[in-house]
Amino acid sequence: MKRRNWIKLSALGVVAGAFPSGTARAGNWLSGEREVQGAQIISTWKHGMEANQGAWKSLKNGGEGLDAIEAGLKITESDRSNRSVGIGGMPDAEGHVTLDACIMNSDSRCGAVAYLEGIAHPISVARSIMEHTPHVMLVGEGARKYAISKGMEQMQAPLPEVQEKYEEWLKEQQAKKPEINHENHDTIGMLIRDAQGNIYGGCTTSGWAYKMPGRVGDSPIIGAGLFIDNEVGGAVATGLGEAIIRVAGSHTVVELMRQGCSPQEACKEAVNRIISKHSDMEGLQCGFLAINKKGTVGAYSVYNGFNFAYTDEKKHALIDAAHDRKW
Ligand code: SD4
């Protein structure tokens, strides 16, 4: 790390326990600088394994980074057993499945869609908004009309088995606020570093189960759920969106990397920032996943249980993130 950055970070309180780049802690895959040749794909949670495979196939077939992001995330959006993304997602308190997604290119162009109903692939809508409109984000009915005008696939949600769950929940009339915890945490965020070192990202979710109608989380917000700066790297977030938005989470991670932090240090600092801004951390799970230009990866969450899928030419594995505390 350059001395100038080291001083700046010391002032921020970031480098306690940090180490200069190039001095990897032996045995810890997530620590230190690690240069990787060739493309890499990382995605949040276990379903990222399948999504990464789809994205990898797209890259190998000559797809560009953004094609691969879209191809990979569409797999998760089509997974009827996934209760936090796409067609299988849980509804809001009035029984509507509303989807959020965003996508960001290595040239900083981006697109986002929020509160979208009845459309199977919000990630494709986000990409289309980026590529074919002068805007970054469309929401609700306007977004749905736009998607239909572009011939996007429509869907019927909630699925019957999800509707059944919803009706049970209604009967129970839970006063208790639903938590984003180990049972409700399936948002997928994906980052790709292509063979030339360019970074691309996407994020897609149905958000917080039984949320208030109209609620939008971090996932479609550029800078919160996803941020790319191709001079530096990229980051994605998962967990309680309200907490992630409060610290502009993914942007914070990328900016910390710009100031000299490794991806791991940056993810940890963003989590610490969330912890420092909330007096009650019970059930407040948030995690960040990041990659820099060299291909070094970082992942850190408030509670244990967060993992991510990693894919490159030689490796396809599910890896546990480091965490601040245990459930
Ligand atoms: C949200 N961040 O809507 C999403 C939910 C999530 O893992 O990521 N769950 O707040």
Side-chain angles (χ1 to χ4, degrees), residues 45 180 184-187 205 207-208 215 217-219 238-241:
W45 305 112
I180 300 228
N184 178 21
H185 60 36
D186 289 340
T187 289
T205 190
W208 187 340
R215 183 264 186 189
D218 62 305
S219 303
T238 180
L240 189 68

Side-chain angles (χ1 to χ4, degrees), residues 42-45 47-48 52 73 186-191 201-204 225-226 236-238 289:
I42 50 175
S43 298
T44 55
W45 305 112
H47 51 220
N52 280 12
L73 295 185
D186 289 340
T187 289
I188 183 156
M190 176 184 282
L191 297 167
C203 188
T204 180
L226 165 71
V236 285
T238 180
L289 178 61

Side-chain angles (χ1 to χ4, degrees), residues 295-312:
T296 307
V297 171
Y300 200 86
S301 54
V302 177
Y303 287 94
N304 61 309
F306 174 40
N307 51 23
F308 67 95
Y310 176 91
T311 305
D312 68 17

Side-chain angles (χ1 to χ4, degrees), residues 91-95 162-175 210:
D92 67 14
E94 288 182 354
V162 175
Q163 179 68 20
E164 228 172 80
K165 272 186 144 202
Y166 169 66
E167 281 164 21
E168 273 166 34
W169 174 81
L170 267 189
K171 267 191 235 140
E172 285 165 20
Q173 291 195 330
Q174 288 184 340
Y210 313 130

